[in-house]
Amino acid sequence: MEIEGAAGPGVSYTPGAAKVRGVLGALLVNANGTVSVDSLIDELWQDDPPRTATTTLQVYVSQLRKIFRRAAPEDGAAVLLTQPRGYRIRIDADQLDLTTFEGLYQRGREALESGDHAAAAQLQGRALALWRGPLLGDTPHGPLLDAAAVRLVEARNAALEQRILADLQLGRHRDLIPELRSLVEEFPLREELHGQLMLALYRAGRQAEALRAYSALRRTLVNELAIEPGAPVQLLHQRILAGDQRLAVPAPTGPPAAVRGPATEPPVVLGLPPADPAFTGRGDELAEIDRLLRAAPPGAFVALAGQPGVGKTALAVAAAHHSADAFPHGQLFLDLRPEPGRRLEPAAAISALLRRAGAPVPVGADPADLQEALQQLLAGRRLLLVLDNVSSEAQLRPLLPTSAGSSAIVTGRRLPAGLDGVHPLVLDVLDPSAALAVFEAAAGPARAAEHPAAVAELLELCGGLPLAIRVGTAQLNARPHWSAESLATRLRDRRSRLSELRIGGLDVRERLLSAYQDTGRNERRTFRLLSLLPAHFEPWAVSAVLGLDPHDRRTPVGTARLLDALADDHLLAADHEGPRPGRYRLPELLRLLAAERLAEEEGEDTVRAATRRLCDAYVRVTEEADAVLNPRQPGVRMVRTPGSDAPSDWFARELGPLTQVVRQAYLAGLWEQTVRLATALTGHLESHARWRAWERTHTLALDAARQLGDRSGEARLLGSLGDLAWQHRRTAEARDRYEGARRVAEAAGDQVARSRALVGLADLWLDGGEVAEATALLTAALDGLPAGLPRERYHVLRAMALAALLADGPSAARSRFTECLEIAQSLRDRRLEAHARRALRRLHDPDDDPGGCLEIRPGVWRLRSPAPLTPALV
C-alpha cells in the first residue's frame, strides 16, 4: 500500500505502523462509503479489543489525517471525513488502483459479452497489470480486509479467465499454452482454466495432449474430492475425442456457448451457474416448480417473488438443474440487473441470450428483429430460460418463449401479474426447521449440534432470511474460533445487527437498501415511518403515523394504496395470523432497515410528532373499545373497533401491539399517553392472564404518572400493581402497593382509586381470616364511593359478600351476591355476571364446590383451608 502525494511518484507517505495501515486499508476497500467505528475496532482487534479501543482508533485516524495533509497540503484535509457512525475516505475512482482495476474489469466483461474480443483482452490485460499481489500483504487482516481480499482474488481470477477467453477467440492459442500450463498447476481445481488449456492445445494440433490435460483434471478431482468434472468440460472432452473440427477455429460471435451434436440435432446450450451443493430448505417449492414447468403450455412460465434476500435466485438455479431432463436442449441464465442501478434493456438482454446460445446477433437490428431472432432460436427446441432480477413487465415481455417446449423461470421482487401464462410463486422466509437445515448444510451438523439453543436463537435473529443465514454460516466458517453463541451475542443488539450481517460480497443491509431505494418517494417515507408501529398493525395505525386526516373519506383508500405498493415490492407482509385479514407486519430485518432510514432521513421533530400521532390514535381506539366493555353507566351499546371485530376479540388480538405502544410512548416521553393507554389495558391484561405485560406496562405508566404529576393516575396504577402482586401471592408487596395507592388517592381526593385500594387491602385481611378488619375497610370504601359508579360498587359488594359468608354463612352473603348479579346485568358484562351466578349457585348448593375451592375474585380461586389463607391461581 502506497500513498502518492503532490510530489509525484517516488515519494511515499505510507504509514509505518501496522494498525494505522489496517485502518487505512479498511477505509480504502470501502472508499466513499462509511465504515462504522465498531467495524474498525473489530478489524484491528477482533474479539479482544482493549478498554481504550475507541480512543486509540481516534489517534490512528488523527495520524492518517496528518499523512494526508503532508501528501497533499491543499486538499488532503478533506480526504478523511468523520461521519455520525464512523469514518469515510472521499476519493475519486481514478485515484485508487482498486477502483481502477474494478472499472477496467467491468468494462472488459461488457466487451466480452458484446463480442468485442480485442477490447476485452486489452481491458482485462490493463486490469491485471495493476495486480501487485495479495491485497495489503504487509498488513494484518481482520474481517473487513479478509472479505475484501477474497473478493479481489476472485475478481482477479475472473479477469484472467476472461482475458484468456478473449485471446482464444482472437486466435492466440499457441501463445497461451505456456501460461495456461502454469495456471493449471497454480489452480488445479479451476475447471475453466483446464478447459481453456484443452481448447488451446486442440487448436494447436495437439489433440493427444488436450486429452491428457482432461485426464489429469479428472484424476485430481476424483482423488481429492471424489467428484467428476463438470458438464461443460466433459462435453468439451467428448468433442475433442470426436475430432470436432468446429472447435478448431474461434466462433465469430463470442465465446463458445453451445455444444452441438449431429448437424440434424438442435444445439445443447450450457448456460447455468453451477448448482449449489449446500442448497436445501425448499423441497416443496422445487417440486412445485418442476410440476409447473413440465406441464407448462406454450407461453407459460414460473415467476418467483419475495422480499430481498429470500433466495429467489438460488431457488431458480436449483430448480433449473432439478428439471434439466425436461429441457434436453439446455438452459440459459441471464441477470437482467447485473449491478445495482443498471438494468438490461430488452435489446441488450436478447443480444446477450443469443450470444450465450452461440447464435448470431443481427448487426444493427431493431428490437423487433432481435425478438424474432430469439423466438427463432427457441422454435422447435426445449430450452429453459432463467431470467433473474426482472425489473418490469415491459423488460420481461420480449424475452419470454412463445413456442411449445421452451419455458422460463423468472425472478423479481414484484410478480409480473399483467402477463399471460404466469404461474406465480411467492417465497416466504424459512420456518425454523428449514432454516436449521440450511444452517447444517452450510456450517455442518457438528456446528449445529454444539449449541442447539444458540443456533435456534441465531436463526431467529436472522429472521429466517436465507441471505442472513448464509452470511452467518459464512462468518462461522471463516472464523473457526467463533461459535454460534458468540455470533448470536453480536446480533442481539438491534442497532448493529445489519452491520454484523456482512462478509465478503454478501451484505444483508445492501440488499435490503437496494429494494428500498427502488421504490417511490411516498412509499419510502411510509416504509420509514412503519418502524414506529408495533410488530403487527392495521391500516388505521398507518394513517395515524402518516398524519392523514381520519375523518377524510379518502384516507383509507390512500393508505391502502401505499401499503399495497410496499406489499407488492415485498417490503411489507400481510399478516395471516388469526381469523381476520387486514393486518400487516414488517419483517424484523426490514424493520431494522426502516428504523435506520428513519434516523438518517427524518428529523427528531418529525419522528416525535409521528410517534405522538400514533400513540394518540391507539389511546383513542383503546379507550373507546374499553368503554364498551367496561361502561361506567348501564345501557351502553356495543360498537365496532377499526378492524370490525367485537371489542373483546380486538383486545384479545391486539394486546401484544398495545403493550409495545405503551413502551414506545414512555420512551418518547409522552407521559399522558402512557398513563391513559396502560390504564385502559388493565382489566384486559388481567382477564387474558398477560402477567408480564401487565407488570411491564404498569411499571412504566406509574413512572409516567409521577413525571406528569398525575396523582389520580398514580393511585390507580399502584392499585393495579397491588392486584397483580396479590394474585401472585406476593402479599407483602401487595400490601405496600395498596397502602401507597390509598395514601396517594386520599391526597388527590380520588374516591374511586381510594375505594379500589381499600378493597385490595380488605382482600388481604380476608386472606388471613380477619373478617372484622376487612369489613371495616369495605364499609369505608362503600361509604366514600360516589353514586353512578356501578362497576366499582360491584367489586366492593363482591368483597362484602365474601366477608359475610365467612362471618355468618351463606344466607348472609346471598343478598350481596344478588345485588352484584343485578349490577353485572345492567352493565351487560358477561364475565362479572357469570361470576355472580357461580357464587349464588354455590350458596344454594354447597356440594357444587369442586375441589373445595372458593372463587374470591372473577377467575381467582382459593382453597377452603384453615386461616391464614393466601390466593391460589387455578
Side-chain angles (χ1 to χ4, degrees), residues 154-226:
E154 286 299 318
R156 183 258 182 181
N157 292 339
L160 179 62
E161 291 176 356
Q162 290 177 23
R163 196 224 79 212
I164 292 172
L165 190 56
D167 281 339
L168 281 170
Q169 294 304 108
L170 295 169
R172 299 169 181 167
H173 41 271
R174 294 185 184 276
D175 297 333
L176 288 172
I177 292 173
E179 181 183 8
L180 284 167
R181 286 199 184 279
S182 175
L183 288 171
V184 297
E185 289 294 328
E186 184 180 357
F187 304 105
L189 301 181
R190 292 188 78 92
E191 296 186 32
E192 180 75 15
L193 291 173
H194 286 271
Q196 290 173 336
L197 174 60
M198 291 163 60
L199 185 59
L201 288 167
Y202 183 73
R203 286 182 178 173
R206 297 154 70 173
Q207 182 181 10
E209 292 179 61
L211 295 173
R212 278 200 296 268
Y214 174 81
S215 298
L217 168 65
R218 182 179 182 277
R219 187 163 50 250
T220 299
L221 293 177
V222 170
N223 290 342
E224 296 192 14
L225 302 176

Side-chain angles (χ1 to χ4, degrees), residues 798 801-802 813-821 835-836 839-840 843:
R798 180 268 310 161
L802 288 176
R814 187 169 290 111
S815 63
R816 297 292 192 190
F817 277 127
T818 300
E819 189 174 354
C820 285
L821 177 60
H835 168 252
L840 287 169
L843 293 178

Side-chain angles (χ1 to χ4, degrees), residues 494-574:
R494 300 177 78 249
R495 296 167 299 179
S496 61
R497 189 180 306 167
L498 291 179
S499 297
E500 294 289 348
L501 287 172
R502 179 179 63 181
I503 186 170
L506 301 176
D507 189 330
V508 172
R509 178 193 279 113
E510 181 182 356
R511 188 74 61 86
L512 301 181
L513 186 60
S514 175
Y516 164 78
Q517 291 169 338
D518 279 348
T519 61
R521 180 172 59 86
N522 291 335
E523 287 77 12
R524 289 197 299 271
R525 175 177 178 264
T526 303
F527 178 78
R528 294 192 295 269
L529 290 171
L530 291 182
S531 65
L532 298 174
L533 271 64
H536 304 271
F537 52 86
E538 296 185 61
W540 61 265
V542 180
S543 298
V545 81
L546 292 175
L548 301 178
D549 183 358
H551 304 293
D552 189 333
R553 61 184 178 83
R554 295 171 297 180
T555 291
V557 176
T559 302
R561 285 175 178 167
L562 288 168
L563 293 175
D564 285 343
L566 289 171
D568 288 344
D569 280 327
H570 298 281
L571 294 174
L572 180 67

Side-chain angles (χ1 to χ4, degrees), residues 740-757:
R742 179 169 70 171
R743 287 193 303 272
V744 175
E746 289 173 349
D750 188 331
Q751 292 300 320
V752 173
R754 173 179 176 272
S755 171
R756 292 177 181 174

